[in-house]
């Protein structure tokens, strides 16, 4: 993957490749062409690649803005958040990536403590939409107004 970057591909191009690959893996899993073990291996491989690429991000200057990223409780798909964290860091953001499956009380506590300008929430499972609504309502009721971004397998919105 390092040579992919060295040959002129940007971090964004690389993440587009990973994203399209993971969509294909998900499609194969839904069609029972691969097992959940195969999907987990693909996810772990992408996770490793992203971790290696994070070393290419220049973090010399002080961050100018803060972002806090997490998945709603019950959501285990975190690769997109990891890519977003890396891209934000590339553009000098201070990023707290709280990962997958974060219960609402912990999300709100972290938002209040860190006071980010942007809160990124990942969700890819339709049955978790009622939970997402609770997260958004709680964030909207805070005494200050971070921008909330919601993204995932099938949705991308800004609130």
């Amino acid at each position: 993957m390092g040579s992919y970057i060295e040959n002129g591909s940007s971090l964004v191009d690389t993440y587009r490749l990973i994203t399209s690959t993971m969509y294909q893996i998900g499609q194969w899993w839904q069609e029972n062409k691969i097992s959940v073990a195969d999907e987990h291996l693909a996810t772990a491989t992408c996770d490793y690649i992203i971790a290696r690429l994070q070393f290419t991000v220049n973090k010399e200057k002080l961050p100018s803005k803060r972002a806090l990223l997490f998945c709603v409780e019950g959501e285990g798909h975190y690769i997109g958040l990891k890519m977003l964290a890396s891209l934000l860091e590339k553009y000098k953001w201070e990023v707290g990536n709280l990962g997958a499956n974060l219960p609402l009380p912990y999300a709100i506590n972290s938002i209040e403590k860190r006071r980010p300008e942007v809160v990124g929430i990942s969700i890819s499972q339709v049955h978790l939409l009622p939970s997402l609504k609770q997260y958004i309502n709680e964030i909207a009721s805070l005494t200050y107004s971070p921008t909330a971004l919601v993204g995932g397998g099938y949705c991308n919105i800004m609130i």
Side-chain angles (χ1 to χ4, degrees):
M1 189 50 70
S3 62
Y4 186 76
I5 295 285
E6 291 166 7
N7 289 331
S9 295
S10 71
L11 198 57
V12 172
D13 290 337
T14 304
Y15 288 164
R16 282 187 182 129
L17 177 62
I18 290 172
T19 300
S20 64
T21 300
M22 289 308 295
Y23 276 122
Q24 184 63 59
I25 295 293
Q27 184 66 38
W28 288 339
W29 177 80
Q30 284 181 328
E31 295 169 356
N32 289 319
K33 292 181 178 177
I34 63 171
S35 72
V36 72
D38 297 321
E39 182 274 329
H40 285 193
L41 178 60
T43 299
T45 301
C46 289
D47 196 353
Y48 172 76
I49 291 167
I50 294 165
R52 292 255 340 252
L53 290 173
Q54 285 179 314
F55 288 106
T56 68
V57 173
N58 183 354
K59 300 178 185 177
E60 292 176 13
K61 295 181 182 175
L62 292 175
S64 60
K65 295 186 179 183
R66 289 181 310 279
L68 191 64
L69 312 175
F70 55 85
C71 298
V72 298
E73 187 170 11
E75 181 61 67
H77 299 92
Y78 64 91
I79 293 292
L81 281 182
K82 195 166 185 175
M83 289 188 287
L84 177 59
S86 176
L87 287 169
L88 289 171
E89 287 173 346
K90 177 181 169 118
Y91 291 98
K92 311 300 178 225
W93 284 65
E94 178 184 330
V95 179
N97 184 355
L98 304 179
N101 193 27
L102 187 68
L104 179 57
Y106 295 100
I108 296 303
N109 182 272
S110 295
I111 293 167
E112 289 177 328
K113 195 179 334 181
R114 297 173 189 230
R115 299 185 66 82
E117 283 83 3
V118 171
V119 174
I121 306 170
S122 181
I123 181 171
S124 67
Q125 301 176 69
V126 174
H127 73 275
L128 295 174
L129 287 173
S131 293
L132 174 63
K133 185 175 180 180
Q134 290 178 312
Y135 281 71
I136 291 169
N137 288 340
E138 288 287 327
I139 292 168
S141 72
L142 294 173
T143 57
Y144 83 106
S145 305
T147 299
L149 304 174
V150 177
Y154 302 104
C155 70
N156 294 294
I157 59 174
M158 183 169 75
I159 301 167

